[in-house]
Amino acid sequence: MAGVITLAGCAKDSGNSGNNNNAATGDQGGSCATAPKPAAAPAASSSSSAAGEKVDASALRVGLAFDVGGRGDASFNDAAAAGVDRAKQDMGVKDTNESTASASESEDAKAQRLTQLATEGFNPIVAVGFAYAKAVEVVAPKFPNTKFAIVDDDSVKAPNVTPLVFAEEQGSFLAGVAAVYKSKSCHIGFVGGVDTPLIQKFEAGFLQGAKAASNKVKIEDEYLTPAGDISGFQDPAKGNVKAKAQIDKGADVVYHAAGASGKGVFEAAKAGNALAIGVDSDQYNQKTVEAVRDVIMTSMIKRVDVAVFDYIQAVAKNDLSTLPKRFDLKVDGVGYSTTGGKVDDIKDVLEGYKAQIVSGAISVSDKPQK
């Protein structure tokens, strides 16, 4: 899906030779944004379903099957790990077990990982990522008394399986708006890890948000690997090369949805005097990308931590009905980070667009519109 999307009238800012701090402080003066500023958002009232509740989950033994990259990927898996860590702190979970997938492992290996956790008595078991769908579908019926959750997949129809899915396109819409408002060249980029329907949701929202904010923005839009090759989520070198190419073409803000490969995107942004948008976790705070965090203007927060925590809490309460069908902007299941202060000056704009999405005034597609 390599390519570039150009909207009529895109003009480059000849003054884009300054440093990152100029872009980060929003001095672009709205030169790229052409849509009227959205109305102010009403006072926030949404919150996690877990807010304020005190539940004892000390009797649970929680199994966590990570996707490629595992704990320490500074992104998706770390968010899931944070949910379990919070369950330990807030609900007294004592016994946990973590296991990580490799980039080239078979479906049998994934099924064996889940089987081993279930056989050893871990319950519930959280499978982190859609790549576990087939394995969960095979293993869950063999352990009817064990509860399973799977992140990013709702295809498994079994009574003991709970899907934890998100409105990634909604959070990515806000990332697209932020990119437009922070771009000095009116030229931005998207780097997807693997070309799958899931990552296309990030792409779709980013494209739609950018176009909603500007009718002259130019967008680079590429993936690291095709569907079936999940190495795109764990190849920082390839992420660096792809992001550098986009920056060399003129993009000065690049959004990645590429897991651990995002580190390479950040490094390319730092070397190319550009800004970057992280994904899943608040990547500005991630130790593994600390050396390049000054280029991270915001991150599209996908609250896998909230979903995992809420799921463990619901299991402890023996009431899964409290979980939302989809973790979206309305329940703070997705959002954006403000750490570092680089989007403080456009927060009212982002909150205005967020309110329109929550109210239904803006409907965000989960399919990329070229």
Side-chain angles (χ1 to χ4, degrees):
M1 297 185 67
V4 61
I5 298 170
T6 308
L7 299 182
C10 179
K12 285 201 172 187
D13 181 350
S14 61
N16 191 38
S17 59
N19 59 31
N20 283 330
N21 290 334
N22 290 336
T25 55
D27 291 339
Q28 53 90 22
S31 62
C32 185
T34 58
K37 184 177 176 180
S45 60
S46 59
S47 63
S48 162
S49 61
E53 296 190 54
K54 297 295 182 182
V55 175
D56 180 9
S58 58
L60 297 182
R61 304 181 67 218
V62 179
L64 194 59
F66 284 126
D67 201 352
V68 175
R71 185 186 282 265
D73 72 341
S75 187
F76 182 68
N77 290 293
D78 270 355
V84 174
D85 291 345
R86 183 181 164 204
K88 291 178 181 178
Q89 179 179 333
D90 294 0
M91 293 189 291
V93 171
K94 295 182 177 65
D95 193 0
T96 64
N97 188 301
E98 300 177 359
S99 181
T100 302
S102 65
S104 59
E105 74 177 19
S106 65
E107 290 294 338
D108 287 344
K110 289 181 174 63
Q112 178 56 37
R113 178 175 298 107
L114 298 178
T115 298
Q116 183 172 345
L117 288 170
T119 300
E120 292 176 358
F122 288 94
N123 185 13
I125 295 170
V126 180
V128 185
F130 64 86
Y132 279 100
K134 291 182 180 179
V136 170
E137 188 173 31
V138 169
V139 175
K142 298 177 181 178
F143 297 90
N145 296 321
T146 299
K147 291 182 172 62
F148 293 82
I150 180 166
V151 178
D152 284 344
D153 181 85
D154 58 2
S155 68
V156 182
K157 310 301 181 184
N160 59 332
V161 176
T162 299
L164 302 176
V165 293
F166 301 81
E168 294 91 350
E169 69 280 4
Q170 292 183 357
S172 296
F173 182 103
L174 300 182
V177 171
V180 162
Y181 271 80
K182 289 297 178 177
S183 176
K184 295 177 76 68
S185 64
C186 209
H187 193 164
I188 62 179
F190 172 80
V191 175
V194 182
D195 189 1
T196 64
L198 172 64
I199 305 303
Q200 288 169 16
K201 291 170 68 179
F202 293 83
E203 176 194 16
F206 184 71
L207 297 181
Q208 187 176 340
K211 294 176 187 179
S214 176
N215 64 10
K216 63 180 184 178
V217 66
K218 186 174 182 180
I219 310 172
E220 303 295 330
D221 180 22
E222 299 176 282
Y223 283 85
L224 300 182
T225 58
D229 179 1
I230 63 173
S231 68
F233 292 132
Q234 200 179 19
D235 195 338
K238 188 174 286 186
N240 188 311
V241 169
K242 191 70 71 174
K244 181 181 184 301
Q246 295 189 355
I247 293 166
D248 287 347
K249 291 177 182 177
D252 61 356
V253 181
V254 181
Y255 173 42
H256 89 85
S261 299
K263 182 178 181 181
V265 174
F266 298 147
E267 291 168 346
K270 188 174 182 69
N273 195 36
L275 291 173
I277 300 176
V279 76
D280 295 335
S281 302
D282 183 353
Q283 296 204 276
Y284 187 93
N285 286 328
Q286 292 289 343
K287 292 293 184 184
T288 57
V289 295
E290 188 173 16
V292 291
R293 74 177 186 176
D294 58 307
V295 304
I296 303 174
M297 53 173 268
T298 186
S299 295
M300 196 293 282
I301 303 294
K302 177 175 171 178
R303 299 304 302 271
V304 177
D305 58 333
V306 169
V308 170
F309 179 89
D310 285 5
Y311 172 70
I312 294 171
Q313 184 182 76
V315 171
K317 292 165 57 180
N318 197 30
D319 184 8
L320 294 173
S321 68
T322 60
L323 293 172
K325 296 296 183 185
R326 190 169 71 139
F327 289 83
D328 58 12
L329 280 174
K330 189 173 185 178
V331 298
D332 290 334
V334 293
Y336 63 94
S337 65
T338 58
T339 311
K342 293 179 174 62
V343 294
D344 286 354
D345 60 324
I346 61 167
K347 188 174 179 181
D348 59 335
V349 174
L350 299 178
E351 288 299 309
Y353 278 108
K354 174 182 175 180
Q356 291 185 28
I357 294 170
V358 169
S359 72
I362 293 177
S363 177
V364 186
S365 175
D366 61 1
K367 302 291 190 299
Q369 303 298 312
K370 302 297 186 180

